[in-house]
Amino acid sequence: MNNLIEKLYEKRNLNDNEFFEILKSTTYDNNLRLLANKKRLEIYDNFVYIRGLIEISNYCKNNCFYCGIRSSNKNVDRYHLNKTDILKCCHEGYKLGFRTFVLQGGEDVFYTDEILIDIISEIRNNFMDCAITLSLGERTYESYKKLYQAGANRYLLRHETANSLHYNQLHPKNMKLSNRQEALFNLKKIGFQVGSGMMVGSPYQRLEYIVEDLRFLQKLQPDMIGIGPYLTHKDTPFKNFENGDMNLTLKLISILRLMFPYSLIPSTTALGTIHPKGRELGLQAGGNVVMPNLSPSNVRSKYELYNNKVYSGSEAAESIAKLKKVVHDAGYEIIVARGDVKKSR
Ligand code: 5AD
C-alpha cells in the first residue's frame, strides 16, 4: 500500500488496478493523509479559502432520484431569491470577509439569462474585488457565455458519475451523461474556472465507477473538485439506501489532492453533516476550501438536498468567528482573499 501511495505522490497518477487497490482497502491510510496534506501545504500553505454560499432557489425542473429538491417532491416549500435579496447577502458576506459569492440553485426556469445578467452585473459593479461563482445546472453554450460576459468567473457543475449506466440509475431518462459532460467542456471553453465532482456512496456506485470518475476528471482538468458522501432524503425514491461512507470520502479527497495538486477542494457541507468533525477531517485530508451558508436564515431549512443538513453553529455566516476557530484548531487559517486557482501544472 505504501508503495502505491508514494507512487501517487510522485507521479500524480496510477493505473486502474492500483487505484482500485487503494479504494478497496477498508482503512483510510494515515500515510495517504499525511502526503496529501504535505502536498496541500506545499502549494496552498495552510490557507483555507471561504466561499459565501447563497442558495438562490429550491425550484428545480429536474427529478434526480437522490435529491431532496427534485421536481416531484411536493413537500418542499419552494422559494427563489430576487436581486435585492441576493445583493443583501453579498453585502453581509463582504463585511464578514467573503471575497467569493456562490449563487447556487436548482434548474429554475425563473432565472432567464436576462434576469441572471442583471443580478450578476449588479454584483460585479458593487464588488469589483470578488469572484462570482455560479452553480445553476445545465444551460446552453450561449447562455453560459452571456453569464460569463456579465461578470461571472467560476461555475460549479458536478458530473455526478462518469459511468453512463450509473448516470441513468441516478437520473430520469431525459437527463444524459453526454449533455452534462458537454456542458462542462463548454464552460471551460468559455473561460470559466470550472468545478466538477461526484457523490461518494451514491446508490449503485461501484469502486470501478469511481476509477472512471478519476479518469474523467483527468480529462476535464477542473479547477475545483467537490465531493461529499451521498446522504439520504426521505422524500426520494432512494430513501431506503444507506448514506455514503465518510472514510471513503476522505480517502478520495486525499487521492484527488495528490492527482490534482493545484485544485481547490472544498470540505463540503455533506461531510460536516455525516460527522461532527467532518469539516475538519476534510481539511486534514487535503481540502482547502469551506463554503459557509450566506442564505437568508428564513430559507435555509428549505434548501434541503438531503436530510439533517447542518443549518446553524459554524455553518451560519453569523458564526464565522467560530468557524475560524475550528479551522485554526485543525491546523489551518481562513484568509480574506478571492482564492483563485493557482495554475502551474
Ligand atoms: N446527498 C449528497 N449530495 C447530494 N447532492 C444532491 N443530492 C444529494 C444527496 N442526497 C449533491 C449533488 C449536486 C450537489 C449540489 O449536491 O452532487 O451536484
Side-chain angles (χ1 to χ4, degrees):
M1 180 61 71
N2 269 340
N3 284 346
L4 289 183
I5 295 167
E6 298 282 343
K7 184 173 169 195
L8 178 59
Y9 179 81
E10 296 297 332
K11 305 242 183 290
R12 302 183 185 179
N13 203 3
L14 293 175
N15 69 36
D16 288 3
N17 288 336
E18 292 169 331
F19 273 130
F20 191 84
E21 277 304 303
I22 300 191
L23 291 172
K24 85 166 192 229
S25 93
T26 46
T27 54
Y28 172 36
D29 193 294
N30 204 34
N31 197 33
L32 174 60
R33 182 178 68 75
L34 292 173
L35 284 181
N37 193 45
K38 184 172 165 203
K39 186 66 93 182
R40 162 257 167 64
L41 292 173
E42 224 172 81
I43 293 163
Y44 283 101
D45 206 329
N46 69 342
F47 299 155
V48 170
Y49 301 111
I50 49 171
R51 321 297 195 195
L53 183 65
I54 308 172
E55 296 157 334
I56 67 169
S57 171
N58 65 359
Y59 281 91
C60 191
K61 66 172 193 231
N62 291 330
N63 207 22
C64 307
F65 302 142
Y66 46 85
C67 183
I69 63 167
R70 60 203 308 269
S71 57
S72 71
N73 184 3
K74 299 286 174 282
N75 296 327
V76 181
D77 183 5
R78 307 274 173 178
Y79 72 91
H80 30 222
L81 304 183
N82 62 28
K83 185 168 75 170
T84 316
D85 302 325
I86 296 171
L87 261 292
K88 211 171 138 204
C89 297
C90 296
H91 278 286
E92 217 179 290
Y94 193 90
K95 277 189 268 170
L96 291 163
F98 289 90
R99 295 297 177 268
T100 292
F101 303 116
V102 182
L103 275 48
Q104 184 175 83
E107 292 195 14
D108 179 353
V109 293
F110 169 80
Y111 293 105
T112 58
D113 290 345
E114 205 187 344
I115 291 182
L116 283 176
I117 288 167
D118 183 40
I119 295 170
I120 294 165
S121 321
E122 185 94 6
I123 301 176
R124 178 47 62 240
N125 291 333
N126 279 276
F127 304 95
M128 308 258 272
D129 56 338
C130 294
I132 302 173
T133 304
L134 305 177
S135 178
L136 302 169
E138 291 175 22
R139 304 176 74 94
T140 62
Y141 181 92
E142 291 69 34
S143 171
Y144 285 150
K145 179 126 203 193
K146 288 184 205 162
L147 305 182
Y148 183 77
Q149 285 166 342
N153 314 95
R154 308 183 187 140
Y155 206 103
L156 305 177
L157 180 68
R158 289 190 179 174
H159 68 279
E160 311 296 358
T161 173
N163 178 280
S164 58
L165 171 70
H166 189 215
Y167 196 89
N168 295 339
Q169 288 172 315
L170 298 180
H171 302 99
K173 282 206 170 55
N174 64 329
M175 291 180 73
K176 298 258 172 307
L177 175 68
S178 54
N179 291 342
R180 177 61 55 110
Q181 296 191 347
E182 189 184 315
L184 283 161
F185 286 106
N186 283 343
L187 288 161
K188 273 206 91 161
K189 195 164 159 200
I190 290 165
F192 280 100
Q193 289 175 37
V194 172
S196 198
M198 63 278 181
M199 290 174 287
V200 179
S202 59
Y204 309 109
Q205 188 180 52
R206 306 163 56 126
L207 297 179
E208 291 89 335
Y209 299 166
I210 298 181
V211 177
E212 293 181 50
D213 288 323
L214 300 177
R215 296 293 173 222
F216 173 72
L217 292 169
Q218 283 178 321
K219 210 166 103 192
L220 180 68
Q221 288 294 318
D223 304 291
M224 294 91 78
I225 308 172
I227 65 165
Y230 161 76
L231 298 169
T232 194
H233 189 293
K234 63 178 177 22
D235 298 321
T236 69
F238 287 164
K239 63 176 180 228
N240 293 325
F241 282 88
E242 282 182 20
N243 286 345
D245 182 69
M246 179 175 74
N247 275 331
L248 182 57
T249 310
L250 295 172
K251 199 194 292 190
L252 267 163
I253 291 179
S254 295
I255 291 173
L256 291 166
R257 171 58 63 210
L258 293 178
M259 290 175 74
F260 306 95
Y262 290 89
S263 59
L264 294 156
I265 302 180
S267 187
T268 53
T269 311
L271 251 182
T273 299
I274 204 170
H275 189 278
K277 295 239 177 291
R279 274 275 169 95
E280 294 94 302
L281 292 169
L283 295 175
Q284 286 162 343
N288 58 346
V289 169
V290 285
M291 301 172 69
N293 201 326
L294 271 186
S295 310
S297 43
N298 65 316
V299 306
R300 257 181 228 169
S301 64
K302 298 176 186 169
Y303 194 82
E304 204 180 31
L305 309 184
Y306 43 78
N307 292 137
N308 307 316
K309 186 179 143 199
V310 278
Y311 305 120
S312 57
S314 52
E315 185 58 24
E318 293 76 19
S319 37
I320 187 85
K322 201 167 149 195
L323 179 65
K324 277 186 185 149
K325 184 172 173 352
V326 167
V327 169
H328 176 84
D329 292 348
Y332 307 94
E333 297 303 331
I334 285 182
I335 60 164
V336 177
R338 265 176 63 125
D340 286 295
V341 70
K342 289 192 186 177
K343 299 254 184 193
S344 139
R345 286 186 191 122

